[in-house]
Amino acid sequence: MSGQKIYLICGFHVNFYHSWRGDRNDRTGFGIDSKIVQSVLRILDEANEKGKQARGTWDCDNFWSLEKIMPRFAPEVLDAIVRRVRSGVDEAILGNWNNGDLGATTVEEFREGLRRTISNPQGSGVKDLFGAYSPIVRTQETMFTQGSIELYREQGVEAIALYYSAVPFDSIRNFVPKLTPAQMYNPLWLKSTESDSDMLMIPMYNQGDIVAKQSMRRWVEQVRKQQLSGEIPGNALIYINMDADGEIWTGIPLPKIFNRLPNVRGLPEFIDLVDEFEFLEFGTLGEYIKNNPPVGEVTVRQDLADGSYTGFSSWAEKEVNQRLWRLSERARWKERAADFISGAEGFDPATRAGIESLLYGAQDSCFENKLRLVSTTHFGMNSPAVHEERLQVGFHLARNSLELSAKALSSALDKWTPPAAAAEQQISLFSFSAINQPKYRGAGQVASGLRTILRVPFELAASVCKPEKLSLKNGAGEPVPFDLLDYKCDAQGRVESGTLYVLHTAGGASENYCLIENQEPAPFGGVAASEKELGNDLIRIKFDSLGRIESLATAGEEYADKQLVTLGATYKIDRHRKKFTPRVYHIESFGAGPLGNIGRVTQRAKIVIYLKGKNYTVEAEYSFLVFAGLPYVFFDGGVTFPLTPSESPDISVSSRMAQSFDMNWFEVMPAELRPAVNNLPGKFVRIWKHNYQNATNYYEYDYGCHDPRNKDADS
């Protein structure tokens, strides 16, 4: 017992590039960072000069802060951090080169970002600046996704720090069994779900946990009692990590008479506490994991991020983020298609080199733009908005990515000879190719065989036959199930244009399709659509007299819970929250395609919010589709929310945005799904997900096992 210690580690998260502040060197931007970090460094230096223990662990973003902002606007701050780390007093660990959202990062992007975090030609890597670093990562917003452990280990990273916090600013506490006292303050093995690989996980805490424990003194004394009682048989590590621009590090400016109050003096309070207790020392993460083995293991299947409600709610809930990410998705699709086509055997080498430069060149390429775009700061955890200057940068990078990838795809298609369809006696009326991209560049192969629906707009050069006499063949000359919707015919009933819905089976190569005239009428696919129901032989949905989906059944099982899809909004009127939902969902249209392979029911609904003598209307259009042979319902939804009066100024303490908001909006439900899917005794609902690293993974809805209060969590 005599040798047991508690090691206090103060982690300073340096990030001068904020989602809620702009690009100015003042309080509206990163000027406050310079001021507070400089004060933190002064406190540490002065304590060391007096012979006291005072150490820090620094994690930084490399591109924005260490490479762009600090050398220009705060060189003295950067020099001081470098000086303390190079002298061995403080420690540097890995952050994120680009503040990256790791759940949205491909293997190729992840590898490159990690390489640049360690070292890069611009000299902003931790190895470049600090010489030595501890092989531990503290990701931006504590992002984590499965598939990452293998990539971290590949480049020598041994541990990751994740919040196990008692406050909502957390990442893993809701998703793992309750840790024992020894596990709460020691490294654990974090197991991969993708392989036998693992890495260390260091539980991390923030200033909210200090308040939850009442004070740092009480927290330390509690941990010491647990050591004395044997609950913690070895050493203990308390790792406090928070933004380095947090004024809580430098203390609350109060009259000196209040200095005896806990939690008001910031870092000096920690330094005095270490000076007081013989069993308490400042430490570094690198030293601790070298000398203290892990005391347990955990597996986390969810994608992780800290902030409100643990996870990606804070990012996904903002409409502007949806628009920004849609641009990114389109750019990624075009990039992959261009790369796939130009990589085919026999493709023109000169054109391939040009495409490679557009997509992955060293300068202003698609890859460079999207690597910077995927910074979490462009999507901003801060609610309800992201700073306008940050959005300008985000949309600029997204549009650059899209333009470059579109240019590359156009160049690839100009030189591409699609696979020929089997010889047909009939003349092709319309042909197209589906480009199967079975894997992301640099990632593992995805299994082929997935059956999905392609939607292909078409226009025929000449009208030849009626829709029911059309046939679609693949490259082998085999008939492929398809149908038409939203088509136009000439006066003789011969089809001219429309949208093809094609049952496509994904494979490892491109597939060519050819639309021809069939002399014999195609067999009817058996899909039925009416005001009352929509279905095929495998799945069926039923609508009640008010247009609501009251039943969704397949294989004899019912999956609707009273009403399957709901439009809704919760809005505060006269300080009272009121939930609005439509009473009626009007069926606008219904019907099957001419070949009977596809059916669609379209409905409209609206809700009216009456406020200060005016009506504000939420309008929605929903379309439900089924296709012959598939046990799925495809859903398209379009919802328009009204612009209500914005009368509240910026509400965030840390934000400097000159915006106003309508803070009466509490919740919007464009299409709330209420399936009759519940945990069975001894079993849990399993959620499957597929990330950009090509890792297909699942997690179970077992939160109530970890804490009964989480049994009915919505998010």
Side-chain angles (χ1 to χ4, degrees):
M1 174 59 220
S2 60
Q4 279 183 302
K5 293 276 190 181
I6 300 174
Y7 292 91
L8 177 61
I9 296 180
C10 294
F12 306 111
H13 173 60
V14 177
N15 180 12
F16 279 46
Y17 192 67
H18 298 279
S19 63
W20 61 87
R21 295 205 294 261
D23 296 323
R24 294 174 175 82
N25 190 20
D26 56 25
R27 287 190 68 85
T28 69
F30 49 77
I32 193 170
D33 295 76
S34 301
K35 179 183 176 183
I36 294 177
V37 177
Q38 196 166 39
S39 297
V40 168
L41 289 160
R42 177 181 49 77
I43 292 169
L44 293 170
D45 284 340
E46 288 178 355
N48 293 148
E49 289 167 6
K50 293 175 183 177
K52 293 184 177 181
Q53 285 191 58
R55 307 182 75 177
T57 290
W58 301 86
D59 67 90
C60 317
D61 83 277
N62 306 78
F63 178 73
W64 310 106
S65 297
L66 297 182
E67 185 176 319
K68 297 296 183 182
I69 300 174
M70 295 180 75
R72 181 179 177 187
F73 295 101
E76 70 288 348
V77 176
L78 180 57
D79 290 345
I81 298 173
V82 171
R83 166 179 54 80
R84 289 188 60 87
V85 174
R86 283 188 173 268
S87 70
V89 180
D90 288 358
E91 166 193 45
I93 63 173
L94 300 169
N96 269 112
W97 180 80
N98 61 340
N99 290 330
D101 178 349
L102 302 182
T105 304
T106 66
V107 169
E108 179 185 35
E109 293 161 4
F110 189 103
R111 279 197 180 108
E112 184 59 25
L114 184 52
R115 287 191 195 105
R116 295 184 190 185
T117 301
I118 297 169
S119 180
N120 59 66
Q122 289 70 37
S124 62
V126 288
K127 187 176 181 180
D128 307 322
L129 284 168
F130 305 114
Y133 64 94
S134 296
I136 299 159
V137 63
R138 190 280 200 196
T139 60
Q140 180 74 5
E141 311 296 359
T142 57
M143 294 276 177
F144 173 79
T145 189
Q146 283 294 346
S148 302
I149 293 175
E150 291 78 4
L151 300 174
Y152 279 128
R153 298 295 268 175
E154 179 183 286
Q155 296 193 43
V157 181
E158 297 178 14
I160 185 171
L162 296 172
Y163 279 123
Y164 184 79
S165 178
V167 297
F169 203 80
D170 170 54
S171 57
I172 67 166
R173 195 167 186 135
N174 293 336
F175 303 143
V176 298
K178 186 176 180 180
L179 301 184
T180 66
Q183 292 170 337
M184 288 176 68
Y185 306 113
N186 272 291
L188 307 167
W189 286 117
L190 180 63
K191 310 293 288 187
S192 172
T193 62
E194 306 306 301
S195 70
D196 293 332
S197 188
D198 53 29
M199 68 189 300
L200 296 175
M201 190 278 284
I202 300 171
M204 186 167 63
Y205 302 91
N206 55 55
Q207 273 89 343
D209 293 284
I210 299 174
V211 175
K213 297 288 187 180
Q214 296 184 327
S215 71
M216 195 72 230
R217 174 183 292 274
R218 289 201 175 212
W219 194 355
V220 167
E221 289 174 343
Q222 181 193 71
V223 173
R224 188 59 175 175
K225 285 180 182 177
Q226 290 170 327
Q227 285 182 321
L228 292 171
S229 69
E231 288 183 275
I232 302 177
N235 294 324
L237 167 75
I238 302 178
Y239 178 28
I240 307 293
N241 182 287
M242 201 67 183
D243 290 359
D245 68 325
E247 292 173 310
I248 197 163
W249 286 118
T250 53
I252 302 171
L254 295 173
K256 286 189 177 180
I257 191 172
F258 294 108
N259 274 359
R260 296 175 68 94
L261 292 175
N263 309 326
V264 299
R265 292 193 298 124
L267 189 53
E269 194 171 328
F270 299 169
I271 294 170
D272 290 346
L273 203 61
V274 171
D275 195 49
E276 178 182 344
F277 291 123
E278 185 179 345
F279 58 82
L280 184 63
E281 291 185 13
F282 280 111
T284 64
L285 296 177
E287 291 172 355
Y288 196 88
I289 65 171
K290 279 182 184 176
N291 300 311
N292 296 272
V295 298
E297 64 179 51
V298 293
T299 301
V300 183
R301 292 181 173 273
Q302 286 82 354
D303 282 0
L304 300 181
D306 60 41
S308 304
Y309 305 111
T310 306
F312 284 85
S313 297
S314 305
W315 282 267
E317 67 187 6
K318 289 191 284 296
E319 184 272 340
V320 69
N321 286 355
Q322 304 288 345
R323 285 191 280 125
L324 182 57
W325 186 248
R326 280 199 294 272
L327 288 173
S328 174
E329 282 187 312
R330 288 169 61 195
R332 285 165 180 249
W333 181 87
K334 291 177 183 291
E335 172 210 351
R336 296 301 173 214
D339 180 64
F340 183 76
I341 293 170
S342 62
E345 186 178 348
F347 193 86
D348 177 54
T351 305
R352 169 66 186 175
I355 291 171
E356 186 77 13
S357 179
L358 284 170
L359 296 180
Y360 310 112
Q363 298 301 319
D364 190 32
S365 64
C366 176
F367 182 82
E368 291 296 325
N369 278 276
K370 67 191 181 79
L371 198 60
R372 297 172 194 180
L373 168 64
V374 81
S375 168
T376 60
T377 42
H378 296 134
F379 297 89
M381 181 184 69
N382 193 61
S383 292
V386 183
H387 196 282
E388 55 190 15
E389 291 179 4
R390 197 59 60 244
L391 284 177
Q392 286 174 1
V393 176
F395 277 102
H396 172 73
L397 294 169
R399 291 183 182 116
N400 277 359
S401 300
L402 184 57
E403 288 173 9
L404 290 162
S405 60
K407 187 175 180 181
L409 180 56
S410 177
S411 180
L413 291 172
D414 285 345
K415 295 287 185 179
W416 183 47
T417 302
E424 292 288 346
Q425 296 299 318
Q426 301 98 322
I427 298 173
S428 171
L429 303 177
F430 178 78
S431 63
F432 64 95
S433 295
I435 302 169
N436 293 316
Q437 171 56 292
K439 69 186 184 71
Y440 297 118
R441 183 180 168 114
Q445 180 84 11
V446 174
S448 299
L450 171 70
R451 294 196 303 165
T452 186
I453 299 297
L454 299 181
R455 307 187 196 200
V456 184
F458 73 94
E459 186 171 347
L460 303 184
S463 52
V464 175
C465 64
K466 294 183 178 181
E468 58 270 17
K469 283 199 172 185
L470 289 174
S471 179
L472 189 71
K473 300 291 182 73
N474 62 16
E478 302 164 333
V480 177
F482 80 106
D483 212 330
L484 293 79
L485 285 177
D486 304 319
Y487 58 93
K488 294 181 180 179
C489 296
D490 64 13
Q492 285 73 43
R494 298 175 303 186
V495 66
E496 296 178 321
S497 63
T499 301
L500 296 176
Y501 286 74
V502 180
L503 180 59
H504 172 71
T505 302
S510 300
E511 182 67 83
N512 195 47
Y513 291 102
C514 182
L515 190 66
I516 61 173
E517 181 182 2
N518 187 8
Q519 300 305 318
E520 297 294 329
F524 194 79
V527 170
S530 70
E531 288 182 294
K532 296 297 182 181
E533 63 181 18
L534 171 69
N536 56 29
D537 292 339
L538 299 174
I539 193 165
R540 191 163 298 270
I541 59 178
K542 293 182 180 180
F543 302 90
D544 66 13
S545 60
L546 298 178
R548 301 170 300 190
I549 296 180
E550 62 178 358
S551 173
L552 168 64
T554 181
E557 296 287 339
E558 177 60 57
Y559 288 99
D561 183 10
K562 297 180 181 177
Q563 184 175 345
L564 183 65
V565 183
T566 306
L567 172 67
T570 305
Y571 191 84
K572 198 185 303 180
I573 296 179
D574 297 328
R575 299 184 180 181
H576 297 287
R577 292 175 189 165
K578 184 177 179 181
K579 186 170 183 177
F580 296 86
T581 56
R583 193 182 75 86
V584 178
Y585 294 76
H586 299 280
I587 304 293
E588 290 282 300
S589 63
F590 56 87
L595 306 179
N597 282 323
I598 193 165
R600 180 174 65 186
V601 173
T602 299
Q603 57 182 203
R604 290 186 179 274
K606 68 179 181 178
I607 54 181
V608 178
I609 299 172
Y610 184 73
L611 178 67
K612 296 181 180 179
K614 290 187 67 176
N615 287 334
Y616 296 91
T617 305
V618 181
E619 296 183 287
E621 180 178 283
Y622 296 158
S623 288
F624 304 92
L625 300 98
V626 297
F627 196 92
L630 292 181
Y632 313 128
V633 174
F634 298 90
F635 172 75
D636 293 331
V639 183
T640 303
F641 288 92
L643 182 63
T644 51
S646 298
E647 299 173 347
S648 300
D650 176 17
I651 57 155
S652 172
V653 174
S654 55
S655 175
R656 301 291 182 268
M657 290 183 287
Q659 298 184 36
S660 59
F661 308 96
D662 181 2
M663 301 309 299
N664 294 310
W665 287 102
F666 180 74
E667 181 181 37
V668 294
M669 293 156 285
E672 183 182 26
L673 299 179
R674 296 183 179 180
V677 178
N678 301 291
N679 288 341
L680 299 174
K683 297 181 180 180
F684 301 99
V685 171
R686 180 169 289 185
I687 313 297
W688 289 88
K689 61 186 177 68
H690 181 81
N691 67 13
Y692 279 88
Q693 294 178 24
N694 263 5
T696 300
N697 201 261
Y698 70 85
Y699 60 91
E700 292 183 330
Y701 204 76
D702 59 353
Y703 307 158
C705 294
H706 309 324
D707 191 319
R709 293 170 295 182
N710 286 337
K711 185 178 179 181
D712 296 318
D714 290 329
S715 180

